[in-house]
Amino acid sequence: MTIYVGNLSYHATEEDLRSVFADYGEVKRVVLPTDRETGRMRGFAFVEMKEDAQEDAAITELDGAEWMGRQLRVNKAKPREDNRREDSRGGSWSKKQDF
C-alpha cells in the first residue's frame, strides 16, 4: 500500500517526510512530485512503509494533523487513472483509426 500525503508545505523535503513517518515504522520510499515546467513541488507526496500496519497507524495519526503550518490530508493512495482523452467514437486520441 502507498500513502497519499496532501496539502503539504512547499518547503517540505523528502528528509522531513521520512522523519515524520519514521515515528510509525520503517519508511521504504518517499516521492515528492514536482511540476515539469517550474520544478516546484506540487504540494503532495507518496510514502511507502515496510508494513501495512505501520501505514495504517500513520494514516490514523497524521490525517488532519497540522504540520509546517498546514493541515495534512493523509490517506491510502488510489491507483493512477488513465486520463488520456477519448474522441467521440470511444477511441483514444493517440490511437490511429482506420475507416
Side-chain angles (χ1 to χ4, degrees):
M1 171 176 61
T2 300
I3 301 171
Y4 166 82
V5 185
N7 201 31
L8 278 177
S9 165
Y10 293 106
H11 301 291
T13 66
E14 179 179 335
E15 196 54 45
D16 292 333
L17 286 165
R18 282 187 181 278
S19 176
V20 168
F21 280 85
D23 289 344
Y24 302 96
E26 184 179 336
V27 177
K28 286 176 33 178
R29 184 170 73 132
V30 174
V31 176
L32 285 165
T34 56
D35 183 274
R36 288 181 218 168
E37 305 276 324
T38 66
R40 183 177 168 198
M41 202 179 103
R42 295 178 61 195
F44 65 92
F46 296 99
V47 177
E48 277 185 60
M49 299 186 75
K50 186 173 181 178
E51 298 185 20
D52 287 350
Q54 297 170 344
E55 290 180 345
D56 291 338
I59 290 168
T60 299
E61 293 293 320
L62 295 174
D63 188 38
E66 187 171 322
W67 186 61
M68 297 182 91
R70 314 268 314 238
Q71 186 175 4
L72 297 178
R73 285 187 49 215
V74 183
N75 51 47
K76 293 181 183 183
K78 297 176 182 170
R80 188 172 184 174
E81 294 180 9
D82 186 356
N83 289 330
R84 290 183 292 178
R85 296 181 69 181
E86 293 190 10
D87 66 17
S88 61
R89 294 177 296 267
S92 172
W93 286 103
S94 63
K95 293 180 185 174
K96 183 177 177 182
Q97 299 282 331
D98 291 325
F99 295 100

